[in-house]
Amino acid sequence: MKPGCAAGSPGNEWIFFSTDERAIRYRKTMSNGGLQRSVILSAFIVLRAVTGFSGDGRAIWSKNPNFSSVNESQLFLYDTFPKNFFWGVGTGAFQVEGSWKNDGKGPSIWDHFIHTHLKNVNSTNGSSDSYIFLEKDLSALDFIGVSFYQFSISWPRLFPDGRVGVANVKGLRYYNTLLDALVLRNIEPVVTLYHWDLPLALQEEYGGWKNDSIIDIFNDYATYCFQTFGDRVKYWITIHNPYLVAWHGYGTGMHAPGETGNLAAVYAVGHNLIKAHSKVWHNYNINFRPHQKGWLSITLGSHWIEPNRSENMMDILKCQQSMVSVLGWFANPIHGDGDYPEEMKKLLSILPLFSEAEKNEVRGTADFFAFSFGPNNFKPLNTMAKMGQNVSLNLREVLNWIKLEYDNPRILIAENGWFTDSHVKTEDTTAIYMMKNFLNQVLQAIRLDEIQVFGYTAWSLLDGFEWQDAYTTRRGLFYVDFNSKQKERKPKSSARYYKQIIRENGFTLEESTPDVQGQFPCDFSWGITESVLKPESVASSPQFSDPHLYVWNATGNRLLHRVEGVRLKTRPAQCTDFISIKKQLEMLAKMKVTHYRFALDWASVLPTGNLSTVNRQALRYYRCVVSEGLKLSISPMVTLYYPTHAHLGLPTPLLHSGGWLNPSTAQAFQAYAGLCFQELGDLVKLWITINEPNRLSDIYNRTGNDTYRAAHNLLIAHALVWHLYDRQYRPSQRGAVSLSLHSDWAEPANPYADSHWKAAERFLQFEIAWFAEPLFKTGDYPSAMTYLIDKVKIKGYYAFKLTEEKSKPRFGFFSSDFKAKSSIQFYNKLISNSGFLSENSSPGCTQTQKNEQCTICLFLVQKKPLIFLGCCFFSILVLLSITIFHKQKRRKFWKAKNLQHIPLRKGHKRVLS
């Protein structure tokens, strides 16, 4: 899924206010001496727009299979995740706990930000109230069946002023109760120390993360958590998505503490966050890991971006620049060489510098790569630098980028999911499909790209407070009515789907069509379909039938001049004189098909709509198409009527008389069909009366009654033609007549909602049963249109279509200028194998076996005169042989009889032969 984003000025990343707000803030900036900061900011943005970063990750966008492991043809993978894969869900303390000023909790910067910046939000006192309803959260975890639960500790709930001293007893009891309950349930806790809720006292006293004094205070807080909870916690996250903390908290002002305009502060905050994480990692590594045996990392978030032109190196460099400026900003020091990317250092003179000692200290301070990929990394639009390229949700590609950039680290997807609008309750169908897409991309990354993803965190367990969006969006697997007192957790469809994924450990083959290997029957028909063939009025190659001699360019005018008085020998017109037939034969020969389906043009054969005017030249053209195809052992399937939404295909008089709303059109169709059977039936054994009549009826939708009247007359027309053929032509021509119905397949978008099952069933009732029930079963329309067709005996497959149309270049094995496409090779192989062969199997029937009966029939059809003459010649030979035999016998008889009258000498006896 790649939602396109308009290419705009990178400067728009920072312009997120309304026009009036921008004007007010501009005046304030100028009046407060902010001009210098604005100039620096603008210069930085311009530099970002024109500079590209280097790195191994650029290979992902090249689509070169030698460098990029991502293959776009791998749309969906049915497989399971590795054994013991880590399945979990996550929450943020500030988002779900509520009770923001109860039981001794201190205010955080987000509590303050809500009251100063989000005027429409009263408080977070309601939220999901996880602090009060802990047991309901635990029941939700039991329902899904996760193997870990990622949650964050509220720093101000433990230490109201941020400084480590005597912990808040009630807050401490809450987290101990939660951890004990998880251990009892065999659910691994993954604990985040900081998920954006900095104690307000530290912001007011030190200026928050701008001040490097916070580093030691944060380390003290982490030390207390390791000492208190480390016996039950093996996975620690220091900071959740530091990019958003710095960028939106101190750059755009969309997050707490809401500061704007000071670019130096943005990078100072990022610098301090990295150093704080590093200090805590070394603290844990030295003092706690030896006996607690745990792991620690930092969750880094990012977007993904695609180049406008994958073959354009400048666009690829801009994509690399975009990723480095977001993910590389923090990943390169921690997972890379211990320093910022070289290009960032060259671009930004205000970027803080790491000393050599700090580089060594920062480098490698993560035991795994914790990665966040969710809506907070994509919206609002000023969250990431698009660089004029296209934002994408391809999780598999960004995982490959991480693999190439940071030497294939072990990865935990620490946050993933999407959002729904606030009015959506438990039927969150969109969330299911987003989850399915993301999870399958992770599975492909593991199985096909050998990326070491060991766990996945669905975000989030509950509906809660969604930062700058407050309560206008929902991200939970469980629906919570924020206005209710009990805050019941109701499982959404996405919760049920995630539960199924965990239970099956991925996407099992039960959900898919089995990978069947085998062959089709030997008499299976392999065909190609073309729409209406417009007949040529005259042969395009008249040189063999024109008796005149011509001289070209005799006077330099590049024209043909007839030479008078000269007559040349000619021959009768032939089918191959039609250029279009020549082209068709060349393409069909390459296709190696056994059948060719095409449609006649009713309006060309009968311009007036009745038999008063018959276009014999059109009929001759169609007969030529059929006969020339038969010479290649390609049997025809002829469609009598092939309408489209753009062109009804009726003769003009019939169209003016009401088309299919007029019952007489069915009678006219019967007469037209009879003519075609009479003229072509000796060569054509497969007939289609009407192509997709259940689509044609949609055209007559001025009123509901018109639709059903048109459909009724189409069915009557087919029935009349079928009976005509059955009565008059089948005994001698021995063919088959049917009609072609269109049908899409429908499944419930949300398999956990009854209303979606009913909608899918009703769709099928109106899609195909409308026409199938009268023809194949009862002779009448279905009762409430509930009949479904199943277990059809499929006797052939006709690929659509031979040549593409310029308006629809996706369809066709040959381009509009008759150039063959690569798909022909696949279809040729399919026909040659008569299906899908396994590696060790051999064709079950040879081409000779498949075509033996057909070849004999074709020979009899094509060689009738020769066969007749041969029979006459053979009869004459037999008669001559009999005559000669009898003459010789009679001659011997008379000779013997005459000998009886000849006298013999004495002593001789007469011997009669």
Side-chain angles (χ1 to χ4, degrees):
M1 177 178 179
K2 298 178 182 179
C5 293
S9 168
N12 290 338
E13 299 166 7
W14 292 83
I15 304 172
F16 51 89
F17 303 107
S18 67
T19 306
D20 294 339
E21 288 175 318
R22 286 201 301 269
I24 293 170
R25 287 180 177 269
Y26 178 78
R27 288 194 293 272
K28 287 183 178 180
T29 301
M30 290 302 186
S31 62
N32 294 333
L35 179 59
Q36 183 178 2
R37 290 193 299 271
S38 298
V39 170
I40 293 173
L41 176 61
S42 300
F44 167 64
I45 290 167
V46 171
L47 284 171
R48 288 172 68 181
V50 299
T51 306
F53 288 95
S54 62
D56 294 334
R58 287 179 298 176
I60 298 301
W61 294 291
S62 69
K63 308 302 180 187
N64 187 331
N66 296 323
F67 300 102
S68 174
S69 58
V70 178
N71 183 349
E72 291 183 343
S73 66
Q74 297 158 346
L75 299 178
F76 198 87
L77 176 64
Y78 286 98
D79 204 343
T80 56
F81 286 82
K83 187 179 180 181
N84 299 322
F85 189 76
F86 219 27
W87 293 105
V89 290
T91 58
F94 187 79
Q95 295 179 279
V96 299
E97 282 185 3
S99 302
W100 72 282
K101 57 182 179 179
N102 297 343
D103 292 345
K105 178 185 177 296
S108 71
I109 57 175
W110 268 97
D111 294 314
H112 181 70
F113 184 79
I114 287 173
H115 291 96
T116 57
H117 289 73
L118 303 179
K119 302 295 185 180
N120 296 328
V121 180
N122 294 326
S123 69
T124 57
N125 198 52
S127 187
S128 301
D129 278 339
S130 289
Y131 182 76
I132 300 173
F133 299 113
L134 175 58
E135 286 299 323
K136 294 182 179 181
D137 288 358
L138 295 171
S139 296
L141 293 171
D142 291 338
F143 176 87
I144 299 175
V146 293
S147 50
F148 74 90
Y149 176 41
Q150 181 184 164
F151 65 93
S152 69
I153 294 174
S154 173
W155 189 349
R157 192 177 293 283
L158 277 184
F159 302 104
D161 63 356
R163 293 183 176 277
V164 174
V166 178
N168 176 22
V169 175
K170 292 185 178 179
L172 180 60
R173 182 188 305 133
Y174 169 73
Y175 292 115
N176 274 322
T177 303
L178 171 57
L179 286 170
D180 290 342
L182 293 175
V183 172
L184 184 64
R185 286 168 166 79
N186 199 30
I187 297 176
E188 191 77 47
V190 178
V191 178
T192 300
L193 295 172
Y194 180 68
H195 196 142
W196 306 354
D197 50 350
L198 184 74
L200 182 62
L202 298 180
Q203 180 69 33
E204 292 177 339
E205 183 176 354
Y206 295 99
W209 287 103
K210 289 184 296 184
N211 193 323
D212 60 6
S213 299
I214 299 293
I215 296 173
D216 289 330
I217 299 174
F218 180 66
N219 186 52
D220 292 341
Y221 158 62
T223 301
Y224 177 86
C225 292
F226 296 152
Q227 291 172 339
T228 307
F229 308 124
D231 59 328
R232 289 155 291 175
V233 178
K234 302 303 177 186
Y235 291 89
W236 293 95
I237 300 294
T238 55
I239 302 166
H240 185 87
N241 210 336
Y243 172 82
L244 295 180
V245 175
W247 190 257
H248 281 325
Y250 296 85
T252 68
M254 301 196 71
H255 282 191
E259 297 185 9
T260 60
N262 188 347
L263 192 60
V266 171
Y267 290 100
V269 167
H271 195 71
N272 289 333
L273 289 167
I274 293 171
K275 292 172 69 175
H277 159 77
S278 173
K279 190 175 187 71
V280 170
W281 186 89
H282 285 288
N283 180 10
Y284 185 82
N285 191 53
I286 295 171
N287 300 314
F288 298 96
R289 194 194 304 273
H291 59 278
Q292 292 185 359
K293 309 294 183 183
W295 297 269
L296 184 143
S297 187
I298 179 173
T299 295
L300 303 181
S302 183
H303 61 305
W304 183 244
I305 202 154
E306 295 280 358
N308 287 325
R309 299 159 296 179
S310 59
E311 72 284 355
N312 186 282
M313 184 53 64
M314 183 57 67
D315 283 0
I316 291 175
L317 290 174
K318 288 179 179 179
C319 289
Q320 179 75 358
Q321 154 78 12
S322 176
M323 292 301 297
V324 167
S325 67
V326 177
L327 184 54
W329 178 6
F330 295 89
N332 209 68
I334 296 170
H335 295 278
D337 59 8
D339 200 0
Y340 298 116
E342 286 297 322
E343 292 79 3
M344 285 188 71
K345 292 191 294 183
K346 293 177 182 177
L347 275 171
L348 299 165
S349 60
I350 56 176
L351 188 69
L353 300 178
F354 288 112
S355 66
E356 289 302 318
E358 287 174 333
K359 292 177 187 178
N360 292 329
E361 184 174 343
V362 168
R363 182 172 55 246
T365 55
D367 301 322
F368 53 91
F369 198 115
F371 181 60
S372 166
F373 193 76
N376 290 327
N377 300 304
F378 290 87
K379 67 183 190 76
L381 291 178
N382 58 345
T383 299
M384 66 282 178
K386 297 191 299 292
M387 306 296 295
Q389 307 306 305
N390 300 312
V391 176
S392 168
L393 295 179
N394 197 318
L395 177 54
R396 180 185 174 190
E397 290 195 343
V398 71
L399 291 174
N400 271 277
W401 189 87
I402 292 171
K403 172 186 176 180
L404 292 176
E405 287 282 336
Y406 305 111
D407 196 25
N408 196 16
R410 294 179 70 246
I411 299 175
L412 170 67
I413 307 295
E415 178 191 1
N416 183 237
W418 209 242
F419 65 93
T420 59
D421 293 332
S422 59
H423 63 83
V424 177
K425 295 185 178 180
T426 57
E427 292 188 9
D428 58 339
T429 305
T430 301
I432 291 178
Y433 282 91
M434 295 299 292
M435 178 183 288
K436 185 175 185 178
N437 181 50
F438 286 137
L439 280 171
N440 201 257
Q441 289 177 6
V442 174
L443 180 61
Q444 291 180 49
I446 295 171
R447 294 301 187 192
L448 305 178
D449 308 332
E450 299 181 350
I451 297 175
Q452 301 181 79
V453 181
F454 68 90
Y456 177 88
T457 311
W459 203 275
S460 115
L461 176 65
L462 309 171
D463 288 336
F465 178 80
E466 291 301 331
W467 310 113
Q468 75 274 5
D469 293 329
Y471 297 106
T472 60
T473 62
R474 295 177 178 269
R475 290 189 65 189
L477 299 177
F478 285 79
Y479 170 78
V480 177
D481 183 354
F482 302 125
N483 296 320
S484 66
K485 291 184 178 180
Q486 295 301 313
K487 308 291 176 68
E488 296 296 337
R489 279 76 165 125
K490 298 179 181 179
K492 300 181 184 180
S493 298
S494 55
R496 300 180 189 278
Y497 182 70
Y498 192 44
K499 177 180 181 179
Q500 174 187 329
I501 292 292
I502 294 174
R503 183 176 65 249
E504 298 176 352
N505 199 37
F507 304 93
T508 60
L509 289 177
E510 295 176 1
E511 186 183 343
S512 70
T513 302
D515 185 14
V516 178
Q517 292 181 331
Q519 290 183 276
F520 290 86
C522 293
D523 60 348
F524 193 79
S525 301
W526 294 103
I528 188 70
T529 297
E530 192 61 278
S531 51
V532 177
L533 287 185
K534 292 288 185 180
E536 293 185 40
S537 57
V538 293
S540 303
S541 303
Q543 64 268 33
F544 297 112
S545 56
D546 187 348
H548 298 97
L549 177 66
Y550 297 88
V551 176
W552 179 74
N553 200 27
T555 59
N557 60 359
R558 295 179 173 271
L559 296 177
L560 289 171
H561 296 274
R562 182 187 297 179
V563 178
E564 299 296 338
V566 178
R567 302 283 292 183
L568 305 175
K569 292 184 178 180
T570 61
R571 61 155 173 77
Q574 296 179 359
C575 289
T576 51
D577 292 340
F578 293 102
I579 291 296
S580 62
I581 293 180
K582 282 185 178 180
K583 290 290 185 183
Q584 289 167 20
L585 294 175
E586 292 172 3
M587 292 184 289
L588 288 171
K590 293 180 181 179
M591 293 301 299
K592 299 181 181 179
V593 293
T594 61
H595 288 71
Y596 175 41
R597 179 188 168 194
F598 66 92
L600 310 181
D601 184 14
W602 185 358
S604 294
V605 175
L606 297 179
T608 61
N610 55 46
L611 299 179
S612 62
T613 304
V614 177
N615 186 345
R616 295 289 172 184
Q617 181 64 19
L619 289 172
R620 176 179 177 269
Y621 173 82
Y622 290 131
R623 188 172 182 85
C624 282
V625 172
V626 171
S627 61
E628 293 301 312
L630 287 170
K631 292 178 182 178
L632 295 177
S633 297
I634 299 176
S635 301
M637 175 185 281
V638 175
T639 302
L640 294 172
Y641 178 49
Y642 193 109
T644 64
H645 282 141
H647 182 62
L648 269 175
L650 289 171
T652 303
L654 297 181
L655 192 61
H656 290 166
S657 64
W660 289 107
L661 295 177
N662 190 335
S664 64
T665 302
Q667 303 292 333
F669 183 63
Q670 182 186 29
Y672 158 65
L675 175 66
C676 296
F677 296 152
Q678 179 181 334
E679 296 294 328
L680 305 174
D682 58 323
L683 301 180
V684 178
K685 304 305 176 187
L686 296 172
W687 294 93
I688 297 294
T689 55
I690 307 169
N691 187 71
E692 299 182 357
N694 50 342
R695 276 289 175 262
L696 177 60
S697 59
D698 294 343
I699 298 175
Y700 296 96
N701 58 1
R702 293 187 296 272
T703 68
N705 191 42
D706 281 355
T707 299
Y708 294 109
R709 283 172 56 201
H712 186 79
N713 290 331
L714 286 162
L715 277 169
I716 294 297
H718 164 77
L720 289 173
V721 171
W722 188 91
H723 283 289
L724 172 66
Y725 188 85
D726 190 58
R727 185 176 59 253
Q728 294 186 22
Y729 297 97
R730 195 190 305 275
S732 59
Q733 296 180 2
R734 300 191 179 280
V737 178
S738 186
L739 83 168
S740 174
L741 293 176
H742 173 94
S743 181
D744 293 321
W745 179 249
E747 293 187 1
N750 185 342
Y752 307 98
D754 290 340
S755 60
H756 287 228
W757 281 100
K758 293 177 181 177
E761 183 179 354
R762 185 163 179 79
F763 170 83
L764 290 171
Q765 293 166 2
F766 281 87
E767 178 74 358
I768 190 169
W770 185 0
F771 281 77
E773 177 86 355
L775 298 178
F776 298 107
K777 195 174 181 184
T778 64
D780 199 356
Y781 296 114
S783 176
M785 291 191 175
T786 57
Y787 173 67
L788 301 178
I789 292 181
D790 195 9
K791 296 182 180 178
V792 178
K793 293 182 179 179
I794 300 177
K795 298 295 291 181
Y797 174 81
Y798 291 74
F800 183 81
K801 62 198 273 296
L802 183 62
T803 56
E804 70 179 13
E805 300 172 19
K806 290 184 178 180
S807 60
K808 297 179 181 178
R810 295 179 301 160
F811 300 110
F813 287 93
F814 291 85
S815 63
S816 56
D817 55 354
F818 308 111
K819 291 182 179 179
K821 299 181 181 179
S822 58
S823 53
I824 292 178
Q825 297 176 358
F826 174 79
Y827 198 36
N828 286 165
K829 183 179 179 181
L830 190 64
I831 295 172
S832 300
N833 293 335
S834 191
F836 305 93
L837 297 179
S838 61
E839 294 180 0
N840 300 323
S841 63
S842 59
C845 52
T846 63
Q847 193 70 25
T848 304
Q849 289 175 312
K850 288 191 289 183
N851 294 334
E852 183 176 1
Q853 183 178 0
C854 181
T855 303
I856 295 172
C857 295
L858 288 174
F859 180 81
L860 293 175
V861 171
Q862 298 173 16
K863 308 297 182 181
K864 285 181 181 179
L866 183 61
I867 293 171
F868 175 77
L869 291 173
C871 290
C872 293
F873 180 72
F874 180 76
S875 300
I876 292 171
L877 286 178
V878 171
L879 290 173
L880 285 173
S881 300
I882 294 172
T883 304
I884 293 171
F885 174 76
H886 281 285
K887 279 187 175 182
Q888 289 179 347
K889 191 173 182 180
R890 287 177 63 84
R891 187 177 301 151
K892 288 182 179 180
F893 174 78
W894 287 110
K895 183 178 181 181
K897 193 172 183 179
N898 292 333
L899 287 174
Q900 293 178 356
H901 301 286
I902 300 174
L904 297 176
R905 295 180 182 178
K906 289 183 178 181
H908 287 197
K909 295 182 179 178
R910 190 177 299 277
V911 179
L912 295 178
S913 173

